[in-house]
Amino acid sequence: MKNLDDFSLEDDQAQSLGSGFVIAPQSQSVSIITDGFDRSISSRSEDTPLAQIIGRFNFFGKGARQRKLSARSRTSFDPSTIGSGGDLFSDNPDIDLNNGKEYMFDLPIDPSKSPRRQRPSSGVVDLGGVRQPRDFADDDRKEMTYGRRVALALMSTSCYNPNVKQVKAIKDPELPVESVNELTKGPSLEQGWGYFEHVTLPRYIADSERSASLVGRCCARPMLLHEKLEKAEPGEMFLGSRLYDPFFTALDQMGDFGLGFGLYFSTLRAVAIVTFVAGLVSLPNMLYFRGFEYSNYQEGVHWALKGSAVCTEQEYVPCEGCTSNMFSTDELYRFMIFTNSNGEQLPFAMKNNCDGATLTRGLYSLATTCVIVLGMIAASIYLKAKEIEFDEDEQTAQDYSIIVKNPPVDATDAMEWKQYFRKKFGVRSTVCTIVTDNDILVNKLVLRRETLQMIKSKNGPSESLDIDHLVRLASDISGKRNCVQKVLTKVLKGVPELVAHIQQLDEEIRDLATEDRDVTTVFVTFETEAAQRKVLSIMKTSEQYDAKYCFREGFLDVDEPNEPSSIRWHDLNESTSKALVRLIIPMLLTFGMIIGAAFLVREVRNYGPLYAAITISLLNTLFPMIAKRLTNLEIHRSHGGRQTSLYVKICIFRWVNTAIVTTLITPFTSSIMNGNEHLLAGVYSIFFSEIVTITLIQLMDIGGNVKRHVFAPRAQTQEDLNQCMSGTVVELAERYTNMTKILFLALWYCPLYPAALFFCSFALIVNFYADRISLMRSWAPSPKLSSEISRINRTYFIPAAIGIMAIISSYTWTQFSFDNLCELSTTSSEYFGTWNIPSVDGEQTTTVQIDASYQSYKYCNQNLLDSGSAFAFPSLPSFQPEDAKWMEEDQETISEIHAWTCVAILGAIAMHYSKSLYQRCTRTYKPVGKDKGIPFTDNNIAAYIPQVKSPEIPFPLVACPVDLIQDNLFEWSSPYHDYEYYDLTIDADSIMRGDDKGRSVSSTAFSRVVHWVETSFINSKK
């Protein structure tokens, strides 16, 4: 037998080894499972006994946490016999290395040797080589948010903090230890703010201390633009970290918050640049509109509307045959009956004397349209490149994994899946998540946890939550209730009602937990990206139907999954048909609300334009809340799918409500009129609201600050206090719709209001920084969404907005001069004579002599989009009635150019849509980005672990056994409890212990996560 010193293990491999070995003796290799890891260790010497190779591992763990492993064959031994040079099997005579069996041993593991805690950091306390967790309450004040500084300053006042006596008592050195222990059971506001900044707010790993001086800190902040930051996990206790800087964090770093948010901020910047450049192209039109030639320098026009097509030069002209019926209620000011010197009364109408439809103006507008089209194409190419860049920069389990959508219902053995992919594809699996159809059971367990939390909030943190104790407590409370209290419990549940609910849940859980469950989905994570791409390149094509790729006797439906945090585990098991039905009803309700909102705005418009504008703003604010509730009725297997559905609803509603309805309810002749009640003034008001009002409300975060500064100090338990610190919930879909609403508004009105492009660009820049501030200082953590919304936005909605812009622009140039008046070749003799005609503002009267040379007009409908006219598309001059033409030669020329340009753009968009739909329907696979060649086990990234987020509990509840899952596979860590605290399977085991029928939890009642890791020995003979 050779000396064990002939073999050594690399240091970085040895650090990650732990307990729970399954050993499969072979000729030259051995498979090992340790803490859920499968390690294949190969010896380079054929005559070296494998038992002694295993004995070369060092173990740690006095008082360390034990992990249970379910094994095929179990034996035990004394861990103290293991060490350098020891023989693993010396005290185990039952082990026969030649019988081919697998053996398992339970060994303690030192948590400080976990791979995720090996990174050095100056912020970590190191005592005797063991890393100690940080106390969040000891953060440097200079690194705190201003809200936390204010809270710390006011914490000693009783009006702000009702528990101020508790805080002072704890610090009292003369207070007995027993009293201090009792007081410390209550919630800590300092710890709550630590939770807010270390769990709720995003942080990055900081390896060095920041300069203490103000100048030093200010000079260091711009350097973040060039640094590569590593995002800290929520609740990271062992490594030094800092809050992200809202202004100086590089855009390339925004992928840390998920691909969805990274692409959102990239889209904001790209669209802001495109609209700004388009604004520069339309600048000559702005200068023309505000000049003398168009409307006498637009005197009396609001500064923000100067440079728009607002016309201030109007006069009343003879309108032969005109009647009041030809003008709507809001246009009656344009129709007047005047009396001449002979006492005769004849109709006059208001004429706009602003010539905006010149050939030059139209060509500049056309150039603006072309810049928008080319700019958005460039932006789309840029976003695709950013998607690849973010994807390569942020390695996640998605890059290594596949999802099997149709596994056999009894395929519960992870080793069967591992062997399938090894034999059929020659690839190595690292993690396998087997999901079972247990939604009802999990929901009951979550509801039970929430009910216990409600009891804890009512009784205080010191009260035991043991079910027997709660039953006695409920009985005592019920016996002391008077008649009034008994009546009130019908509405407000007290402790007895909650305890009764828990007992009912326990009975239901006992029945559900004993049932065998079918497998519905399987996630397989491979060791390399190349392995994932190899499998998908075969299984996403017709080659998958080759008999050699059969799993058992069937073909697998395989796809690339979403990010782990984006999976909605409670919807994962629902059928496609059910999901489709649940999707149709909310969408129909959404379209019904859009129609209802349009009618409401139209009715309110009868009371005045101001009321209509207020109604539109209220509807835009209220509908997202309704849309969220409608979307919650749907079934979505990922948060990305839910966000996409929410985006479609809100986007269509806001587009219709903001731009389309506004145009439809505004009188046609008000399009270029000056005044707050007219169209363009309302458009400016919307931009002002987006830039100033809505942004200030968002940054003030009134709801979040009330929770943190009012409700949190009065919370009864630490969990309730932490919930007040959980941040404001944000929907990425709503942020996207806010952006597209502004863009759509600018594209719709830019022919008449070129400055809208500049306002759009500025509003998007404001949103860019306001959203970064909110994301890094007030918003709750969001799931790491993929690129679904970004792709839907740039593939369908942005082209749709461009197409609508082309349509509106083409019709706009046919509609000048927006007064519905056409010239007559002759003037009726009825108008001959002297007329005293007042000015439009009524401040002065002009005496006019009308004769045969005076130009008169008649009513004609200049709006080719009017439903009362024949359908006119494209907007060609030929659609003018023969007896009612209003276009001059220049206007006809530019209208024809815009019309055919519109047709070309719409044709290109139709081809783009067809290609996109074809690609979606065609079963193809194309990898995104380059294979970085980094193994999964070296990346320290989260795996697919079934979890459920509850609004009552700060951290997710885990719906599978956690004892086999290595800590670094979780995407979060709690500073308060181990992962076992959040394990719902432990709840089920506890409940089943009280089962009077002697039943136990079914082996398939819960999903399973199995993790394998392979490593190698190095032969280093001396």
Side-chain angles (χ1 to χ4, degrees):
M1 184 179 295
K2 291 191 175 182
N3 193 300
L4 289 173
D5 292 333
D6 291 346
F7 298 89
S8 63
L9 187 69
E10 290 179 334
D11 292 338
D12 60 338
Q13 296 169 342
Q15 289 174 351
S16 63
L17 292 174
S19 67
F21 284 72
V22 175
I23 306 167
Q26 301 171 13
S27 60
Q28 286 189 313
S29 65
V30 58
S31 295
I32 300 175
I33 294 181
T34 167
D35 295 331
F37 291 83
D38 179 10
R39 300 182 178 272
S40 179
I41 301 176
S42 301
S43 168
R44 297 187 183 181
S45 176
E46 296 184 8
D47 58 350
T48 302
L50 296 175
Q52 292 205 16
I53 295 176
I54 305 305
R56 275 293 286 129
F57 292 113
N58 294 316
F59 291 89
F60 316 86
K62 184 175 181 181
R65 178 157 54 99
Q66 293 277 351
R67 290 183 181 264
K68 297 181 293 182
L69 294 173
S70 57
R72 303 171 184 82
S73 177
R74 178 183 294 269
T75 185
S76 61
F77 65 98
D78 182 7
S80 64
T81 63
I82 298 178
S84 179
D87 189 341
L88 183 65
F89 304 115
S90 59
D91 294 331
N92 293 276
D94 296 333
I95 296 179
D96 183 359
L97 294 178
N98 299 317
N99 63 9
K101 290 184 178 179
E102 295 186 354
Y103 299 92
M104 192 204 72
F105 305 90
D106 286 330
L107 293 176
I109 180 173
D110 183 359
S112 67
K113 297 300 179 179
S114 173
R116 69 192 289 180
R117 297 183 172 91
Q118 296 306 307
R119 294 171 294 187
S121 171
S122 60
V124 179
V125 180
D126 195 333
L127 300 176
V130 179
R131 295 183 183 276
Q132 300 297 318
R134 299 167 57 90
D135 187 353
F136 297 156
D138 295 336
D139 288 343
D140 185 353
R141 276 182 174 266
K142 301 183 185 68
E143 301 292 338
M144 295 179 182
T145 60
Y146 289 107
R148 186 178 182 184
R149 298 183 199 182
V150 170
L152 291 177
L154 299 176
M155 199 175 295
S156 58
T157 61
S158 58
C159 61
Y160 179 83
N161 182 16
N163 296 323
V164 63
K165 294 181 180 180
Q166 169 184 321
V167 176
K168 293 180 178 179
I170 293 174
K171 297 180 179 180
D172 186 358
E174 299 180 0
L175 192 69
V177 176
E178 296 79 3
S179 301
V180 172
N181 292 337
E182 184 65 26
L183 288 171
T184 53
K185 292 181 180 178
S188 167
L189 194 56
E190 290 183 345
Q191 291 292 339
W193 277 99
Y195 173 90
F196 175 68
E197 293 193 0
H198 285 265
V199 177
T200 299
L201 300 185
R203 304 175 73 89
Y204 65 92
I205 301 299
D207 293 330
S208 59
E209 295 294 336
R210 182 174 289 180
S211 174
S213 67
L214 177 62
V215 175
R217 295 198 306 274
C218 292
C219 293
R221 290 172 66 190
M223 297 302 296
L224 293 174
L225 292 171
H226 308 286
E227 289 186 21
K228 175 61 180 174
L229 307 179
E230 180 182 358
K231 191 173 185 292
E233 294 179 356
E236 176 61 66
M237 298 178 291
F238 292 87
L239 302 178
S241 62
R242 295 196 190 106
L243 293 168
Y244 280 89
D245 191 292
F247 297 100
F248 293 101
T249 299
L251 178 62
D252 295 343
Q253 205 67 50
M254 298 308 294
D256 291 352
F257 305 91
L259 190 58
F261 271 105
L263 290 174
Y264 166 67
F265 286 105
S266 299
T267 305
L268 279 176
R269 186 175 72 169
V271 175
I273 293 173
V274 171
T275 51
F276 181 79
V277 173
L280 293 178
V281 174
S282 64
L283 197 58
N285 280 2
M286 294 176 59
L287 297 176
Y288 172 78
F289 286 143
R290 69 178 298 157
F292 175 79
E293 184 180 355
Y294 176 72
S295 186
N296 196 23
Y297 301 113
Q298 293 184 325
E299 294 181 2
V301 176
H302 189 276
W303 67 269
L305 293 175
K306 286 192 173 184
S308 69
V310 168
C311 181
T312 59
E313 298 296 307
Q314 290 93 14
E315 65 172 333
Y316 285 105
V317 297
C319 186
E320 298 182 14
C322 292
T323 64
S324 60
N325 294 331
M326 296 177 179
F327 300 88
S328 67
T329 304
D330 295 324
E331 295 178 304
L332 289 181
Y333 67 92
R334 303 190 71 89
F335 175 78
M336 301 291 290
I337 300 293
F338 294 147
T339 305
N340 63 8
S341 56
N342 298 325
E344 296 175 343
Q345 293 184 334
L346 293 174
F348 283 69
M350 184 183 294
K351 171 72 175 139
N352 295 329
N353 290 327
C354 298
D355 185 14
T358 64
L359 181 60
T360 304
R361 306 283 73 76
L363 290 177
Y364 276 118
S365 178
L366 182 65
T368 301
T369 301
C370 294
V371 168
I372 291 289
V373 172
L374 296 176
M376 290 304 175
I377 292 174
S380 179
I381 296 172
Y382 163 76
L383 291 173
K384 289 178 181 178
K386 293 298 292 184
E387 180 178 345
I388 295 174
E389 179 184 332
F390 285 134
D391 184 72
E392 292 179 345
D393 186 57
E394 290 295 319
Q395 295 290 103
T396 66
Q398 181 185 24
D399 301 314
Y400 298 86
S401 304
I402 63 168
I403 178 175
V404 181
K405 299 179 180 179
N406 63 336
V409 296
D410 60 343
T412 59
D413 186 3
M415 286 301 299
E416 182 181 11
W417 290 101
K418 179 181 177 70
Q419 293 300 325
Y420 167 77
F421 286 104
R422 182 186 292 273
K423 292 178 180 178
K424 302 292 186 180
F425 301 92
V427 297
R428 181 155 56 91
S429 306
T430 299
V431 182
C432 182
T433 303
I434 300 175
V435 183
T436 57
D437 186 9
N438 60 355
D439 295 342
I440 299 177
L441 172 61
V442 171
N443 290 337
K444 296 290 184 183
L445 288 167
V446 172
L447 183 58
R448 185 180 188 272
R449 280 285 188 113
E450 293 173 344
T451 307
L452 285 172
Q453 182 60 39
M454 294 171 64
I455 294 175
K456 188 175 181 180
S457 299
K458 291 178 179 293
N459 293 342
S462 60
E463 196 73 49
S464 172
L465 294 180
D466 178 71
I467 188 64
D468 294 332
H469 172 76
L470 292 178
V471 170
R472 291 191 297 269
L473 179 64
S475 178
D476 293 341
I477 295 175
S478 298
K480 297 177 182 179
R481 281 177 175 171
N482 55 36
C483 296
V484 176
Q485 291 174 329
K486 291 180 180 179
V487 173
L488 290 176
T489 57
K490 302 295 182 181
V491 181
L492 302 174
K493 292 183 178 181
V495 172
E497 289 72 31
L498 295 175
V499 172
H501 189 208
I502 288 179
Q503 291 177 308
Q504 179 184 351
L505 287 173
D506 286 352
E507 291 299 323
E508 296 173 357
I509 290 170
R510 290 189 183 100
D511 293 335
L512 293 169
T514 56
E515 298 177 4
D516 291 333
R517 303 287 172 178
D518 293 340
V519 176
T520 59
T521 309
V522 174
F523 293 90
V524 180
T525 302
F526 302 106
E527 181 62 13
T528 63
E529 289 184 79
Q532 181 228 36
R533 297 181 178 196
K534 179 179 180 181
V535 173
L536 288 176
S537 64
I538 295 174
M539 301 300 284
K540 289 285 288 180
T541 64
S542 58
E543 193 176 352
Q544 66 157 324
Y545 298 112
D546 191 323
K548 66 180 180 181
Y549 296 116
C550 283
F551 182 87
R552 296 183 180 175
E553 297 180 355
F555 299 104
L556 297 179
D557 182 9
V558 174
D559 205 346
E560 184 176 14
N562 294 96
E563 299 279 359
S565 64
S566 180
I567 300 295
R568 289 166 58 89
W569 297 96
H570 55 285
D571 283 346
L572 199 61
N573 301 321
E574 300 291 353
S575 65
T576 303
S577 58
K578 184 178 180 181
L580 183 61
V581 171
R582 294 272 289 272
L583 178 65
I584 292 174
I585 296 176
M587 291 302 296
L588 292 177
L589 291 174
T590 298
F591 285 112
M593 290 181 185
I594 291 173
I595 297 172
F599 278 104
L600 176 62
V601 173
R602 188 186 67 174
E603 291 301 317
V604 174
R605 184 69 168 75
N606 295 329
Y607 296 93
L610 178 61
Y611 296 106
I614 294 174
T615 303
I616 290 172
S617 298
L618 288 175
L619 289 173
N620 281 339
T621 303
L622 294 175
F623 180 76
M625 294 184 283
I626 300 174
K628 292 174 189 177
R629 293 185 177 273
L630 291 176
T631 307
N632 289 337
L633 299 175
E634 302 169 357
I635 295 173
H636 296 284
R637 294 182 176 86
S638 70
H639 287 284
R642 177 184 176 275
Q643 291 291 321
T644 301
S645 177
L646 183 62
Y647 169 75
V648 171
K649 294 184 185 72
I650 301 177
C651 189
I652 294 176
F653 183 91
R654 284 180 165 175
W655 280 19
V656 173
N657 191 54
T658 303
I660 300 176
V661 171
T662 302
T663 300
L664 293 178
I665 68 172
T666 302
F668 173 76
T669 54
S670 293
S671 299
I672 60 173
M673 292 295 292
N674 185 32
N676 293 331
E677 69 276 13
H678 297 295
L679 178 65
L680 295 183
V683 174
Y684 163 71
S685 298
I686 295 174
F687 279 114
F688 179 84
S689 176
E690 292 293 335
I691 295 172
V692 180
T693 309
I694 295 178
T695 302
L696 287 178
I697 292 174
Q698 174 185 324
L699 294 178
M700 289 170 64
D701 188 27
I702 298 174
N705 279 304
V706 168
K707 284 184 179 180
R708 292 189 288 274
H709 293 282
V710 178
F711 296 148
R714 291 157 180 80
Q716 296 299 312
T717 66
Q718 190 66 46
E719 288 83 355
D720 292 340
L721 193 154
N722 289 345
Q723 282 299 95
C724 295
M725 299 288 183
S726 59
T728 303
V729 176
V730 60
E731 301 283 1
L732 181 60
E734 190 172 356
R735 305 315 306 161
Y736 262 103
T737 58
N738 193 56
M739 173 189 66
T740 54
K741 176 188 68 176
I742 297 171
L743 175 63
F744 187 74
L745 192 68
L747 298 184
W748 184 282
Y749 291 109
C750 66
L752 295 178
Y753 193 8
L757 294 169
F758 287 117
F759 281 118
C760 174
S761 179
F762 185 65
L764 295 181
I765 292 173
V766 170
N767 281 355
F768 180 85
Y769 286 103
D771 286 354
R772 283 165 64 103
I773 293 172
S774 297
L775 179 66
M776 300 176 186
R777 292 296 182 268
S778 62
W779 283 346
S782 297
K784 286 190 174 182
L785 302 175
S786 298
S787 58
E788 293 102 324
I789 300 181
S790 177
R791 290 181 180 179
I792 290 289
N793 183 61
R794 67 175 185 257
T795 304
Y796 298 106
F797 281 85
I798 296 297
I802 293 174
I804 293 173
M805 173 197 181
I807 295 173
I808 296 302
S809 180
S810 67
Y811 280 95
T812 297
W813 294 105
T814 67
Q815 295 167 348
F816 268 96
S817 56
F818 295 95
D819 52 19
N820 284 339
L821 296 179
C822 295
E823 294 182 354
L824 291 174
S825 57
T826 60
T827 301
S828 174
S829 59
E830 294 180 345
Y831 284 91
F832 293 176
T834 302
W835 297 81
N836 294 320
I837 300 177
S839 61
V840 173
D841 56 17
E843 294 183 358
Q844 59 184 1
T845 301
T846 303
T847 301
V848 176
Q849 183 68 36
I850 296 180
D851 53 24
S853 63
Y854 198 90
Q855 182 64 58
S856 63
Y857 297 83
K858 71 173 183 178
Y859 179 87
C860 62
N861 187 3
Q862 296 175 342
N863 186 5
L864 295 181
L865 287 172
D866 189 351
S867 59
S869 302
F871 179 74
F873 182 83
S875 56
L876 296 169
S878 58
F879 285 104
Q880 298 177 97
E882 287 296 330
D883 60 343
K885 292 187 176 182
W886 64 89
M887 297 188 196
E888 300 289 341
E889 183 179 354
D890 271 9
Q891 188 174 1
E892 288 186 347
T893 301
I894 195 59
S895 296
E896 191 164 351
I897 293 174
H898 273 272
W900 291 117
T901 302
C902 172
V903 171
I905 291 175
L906 294 179
I909 292 173
M911 293 176 61
H912 167 75
Y913 282 171
S914 300
K915 179 182 176 181
S916 176
L917 291 173
Y918 174 78
Q919 291 175 343
R920 290 179 67 89
C921 296
T922 305
R923 190 177 179 85
T924 59
Y925 169 71
K926 183 179 180 181
V928 177
K930 298 179 181 179
D931 180 359
K932 299 186 72 173
I934 303 176
F936 177 85
T937 51
D938 293 346
N939 240 339
N940 194 33
I941 53 181
Y944 289 91
I945 301 175
Q947 305 173 62
V948 180
K949 192 74 175 71
S950 168
E952 303 296 330
I953 301 171
F955 292 93
L957 297 172
V958 185
C960 66
V962 303
D963 52 4
L964 297 181
I965 305 175
Q966 186 75 358
D967 289 357
N968 65 323
L969 293 184
F970 286 93
E971 198 171 21
W972 53 273
S973 60
S974 169
Y976 307 104
H977 305 285
D978 288 335
Y979 291 108
E980 282 83 353
Y981 177 83
Y982 304 96
D983 188 347
L984 292 176
T985 66
I986 295 178
D987 293 13
D989 289 336
S990 175
I991 294 169
M992 293 306 298
R993 283 197 292 269
D995 183 41
D996 52 7
K997 299 179 181 179
R999 296 173 295 179
S1000 61
V1001 178
S1002 169
S1003 61
T1004 60
F1006 292 97
S1007 303
R1008 293 180 57 215
V1009 178
V1010 180
H1011 186 194
W1012 303 283
V1013 172
E1014 298 185 2
T1015 189
S1016 300
F1017 266 101
I1018 296 178
N1019 191 345
S1020 57
K1021 296 183 179 181
K1022 295 182 179 180

